[in-house]
Amino acid sequence: MGQKTVSGPFMQQKIVTSIVAFAMVCLLGNAQDAYPKNENVDVQHYVFGLSLTDASNKIQGETQVTVSFKEKAVPFALDLVGKSGEFGMEVTEVLEDSLQADYSYSENRINILPKTEAKTQKFTIKYHGIPERGLVIDTTKYGKRSFFGDNWPNLARHWLASVDHPYDKAIVEFQITAPDHYDVVATGEKIEESNLENGYKLTIYREPAPVATKVMTIGVTEFASRLVDEVQNISVTAWVYPQNRLEGFHDYTVAGKVLEPYSYAKLANMQAKTQWGGLENAGTIAYFENSVTGNNTVEPLIAHEIAHQWFGNSATEKSWNHVWLSEGFATYFCILYLEDVYGNERRKEELAIDRREIIDYYKTNPSPIVDLTISDPMRVLSTNTYQKGGWVLNMLRHKLGDKTFWNGIRKYYTTYRNSNVLTDDFRKVMEDVSGEKLDDFFQQWLFTKGHPQLKWNWEYKKGKVILHLEQLQSHHVFQFPMEIGLVKDGKTVMETIQVNEQSQNFELRSSTHPDNVILDPNQWTLFEDMGKSKN
């Protein structure tokens, strides 16, 4: 996900005892993510029926949900924000197959008590109302009425009855009835577009790969669309406003550089009303309205959001506290894309920028990447989960070497494709591929706050560079390798040291007195240079 910007790129206690007992299952692996996961229930398939109109912002909704029970049918809950004043949804009917279901509604949750013991069952929830968030009903910057899904992180519940958390992904189908002058795009492949002969048309999209609600979406407005590319039978398209169609087609063409293997039915790139710079909806990415300039200014943003299709959408964090598995990966894979297209100097430039942002952020937010004190998913996005998470992958790549790093990344994706993952799962894959124990690396860079703050100096004596390093941070002594550049007459000789202590001296052989000594000239180690100390 692209980070939020000012302009619009980037928030009756009737439950019976048996429902509480089953629905409020403990979180696996992290008690900080406050969502009440129910590991005894697995949503298999959603069919979301939505009726949209120009007469008002009120929507008619119908969710058909197919659930599979782990052992036997148990009570479970779906999220749906209830009516409060002008906004919210009113549930009118809940069916178990074709019969009235046994359910209660409280605290924005539909609590269902199955009547039969079948291990797979289908339920239908009918509702209507005006969504306050999640589905953005507005006008485009050109004054055209529009409807855009904007669910991240947990806003689907404002318009879709669902398990609104990424731990339970499901196949999804959107059946959208809207005035026939609109163009409709949504998660999945278009399987039907039918004129209903009453001024409305029905458009159906179906995505056969499991998707988290955070990255399900629709786009309904007047669009211009074009096929940008086709890779291994996956269509890559651009959906932009007609008023800037040529500029939009030009800017979104870069999206044709798709990697494999790809999980989703298509890759649509959509100009949209969104609170984010970009939102990585599965197979239907939304970019902020002013992303279209005709000058290719959003190439890094497009690379970031497309990287999410693999990391975050397909291999999905099971707990919000591990969102760096989405954002850190997308940040670094954007840098890898830029490195591939523009060279290693571009990688170094991007990481140098990110390093400064990480250091500045830490001064007012001294916290680790995996921050177990956060329970609100709207607070998990930060410089830590984006830039510092990306830097961790950069250091891991250097530690393991390119070949092993890429073998590990491929195995990680293959193992957790269309599934859920925690940080320890990623660590175990990288350990398995590399044959190295990575507990200490992951602990200090992901679960420990801060970074090395280095005071240092050097001198030349008798054919040796004597380098003194001191870590000034008091909470943890970091252990890490660091490249040292010895510069003479414009040429740099690289040496590598292993930092293990708070204060250390290193002797580096050099036949001549260097003109300069540089710490980490190739941007492989995250640290803060506190300046030179006196010899």
Side-chain angles (χ1 to χ4, degrees), residues 48-81:
F48 295 120
L50 296 166
S51 294
L52 311 176
T53 177
D54 283 336
S56 74
N57 290 347
K58 185 176 181 179
I59 68 171
Q60 299 285 338
E62 179 177 305
T63 294
Q64 296 177 24
V65 56
T66 302
V67 299
S68 176
F69 300 101
K70 188 173 182 179
E71 296 178 354
K72 63 179 182 178
V74 297
F76 69 98
L78 300 174
D79 301 299
L80 187 68
V81 174

Side-chain angles (χ1 to χ4, degrees), residues 108-348:
N108 298 322
R109 306 198 89 198
I110 304 165
N111 305 287
I112 299 173
L113 185 62
K115 296 178 179 179
T116 70
E117 294 297 315
K119 290 188 68 173
T120 300
Q121 299 188 38
K122 182 182 292 184
F123 299 85
T124 302
I125 297 89
K126 299 180 181 181
Y127 56 94
H128 59 81
I130 300 175
E132 185 175 16
R133 305 184 70 184
L135 181 63
V136 180
I137 304 175
D138 203 344
T139 56
T140 70
K141 67 177 185 176
Y142 295 107
K144 300 295 184 178
R145 185 167 168 81
S146 61
F147 308 78
F148 288 107
D150 207 39
N151 287 347
W152 207 99
N154 59 350
L155 303 181
R157 65 191 67 192
H158 286 270
W159 62 296
L160 301 174
S162 60
V163 175
D164 194 16
H165 188 283
Y167 90 95
D168 194 354
K169 304 197 290 188
I171 295 168
V172 61
E173 180 175 308
F174 281 99
Q175 300 181 352
I176 302 167
T177 300
D180 58 16
H181 61 89
Y182 288 123
D183 302 293
V184 177
V185 64
T187 302
E189 179 182 14
K190 186 192 289 186
I191 60 172
E192 182 180 347
E193 182 176 278
S194 297
N195 193 313
L196 302 180
E197 298 184 342
N198 58 356
Y200 286 82
K201 70 178 179 182
L202 170 67
T203 310
I204 300 177
Y205 282 81
R206 179 183 299 153
E207 176 52 67
V211 180
T213 53
K214 66 171 185 167
V215 288
M216 296 176 182
T217 197
I218 67 170
V220 181
T221 191
E222 295 177 11
F223 280 117
S225 62
R226 170 184 279 185
L227 179 68
V228 171
D229 203 346
E230 190 163 0
V231 182
Q232 296 295 314
N233 297 319
I234 301 297
S235 63
V236 183
T237 56
W239 294 69
V240 299
Y241 303 154
Q243 297 85 354
N244 54 203
R245 56 179 284 274
L246 295 180
E247 297 89 342
F249 293 155
H250 174 270
D251 288 343
Y252 290 0
T253 296
V254 69
K257 301 173 182 179
V258 180
L259 304 176
E260 300 177 56
Y262 183 74
S263 285
Y264 306 111
K266 68 173 189 308
L267 178 58
N269 297 271
M270 175 176 67
Q271 185 179 10
K273 299 281 288 193
T274 172
Q275 63 180 317
W276 310 102
L279 182 51
E280 65 271 17
N281 304 302
T284 311
I285 300 171
Y287 303 98
F288 70 106
E289 289 190 307
N290 290 329
S291 64
V292 172
T293 64
N295 299 317
N296 202 31
T297 55
V298 291
E299 183 179 15
L301 176 63
I302 291 174
H304 180 105
E305 304 308 337
I306 290 178
H308 269 306
Q309 305 303 304
W310 287 261
F311 305 108
N313 290 5
S314 186
T316 307
E317 68 279 1
K318 190 173 184 179
S319 163
W320 286 118
N321 302 99
H322 296 252
V323 76
W324 85 278
L325 294 167
S326 289
E327 299 303 343
F329 271 69
T331 297
Y332 191 56
F333 275 74
C334 171
I335 292 173
L336 290 171
Y337 165 81
L338 296 172
E339 176 187 357
D340 183 67
V341 174
Y342 300 107
N344 188 49
E345 286 302 312
R346 180 63 181 270
R347 177 192 67 86
K348 292 161 61 176

Side-chain angles (χ1 to χ4, degrees), residues 355-372:
R355 184 205 300 265
R356 290 193 294 271
E357 293 182 4
I358 292 164
I359 291 168
D360 288 344
Y361 181 79
Y362 179 73
K363 292 174 182 176
T364 55
N365 301 273
S367 56
I369 292 176
V370 182
D371 187 349
L372 303 183

Side-chain angles (χ1 to χ4, degrees), residues 23 32 43 148 188 273 304 324 331 379 385 455 495 525 529:
Q32 304 304 315
V43 176
F148 288 107
K273 299 281 288 193
H304 180 105
W324 85 278
T331 297
R379 292 184 55 238
T385 49
K455 197 87 170 175
E495 301 283 351
T525 303
D529 189 340

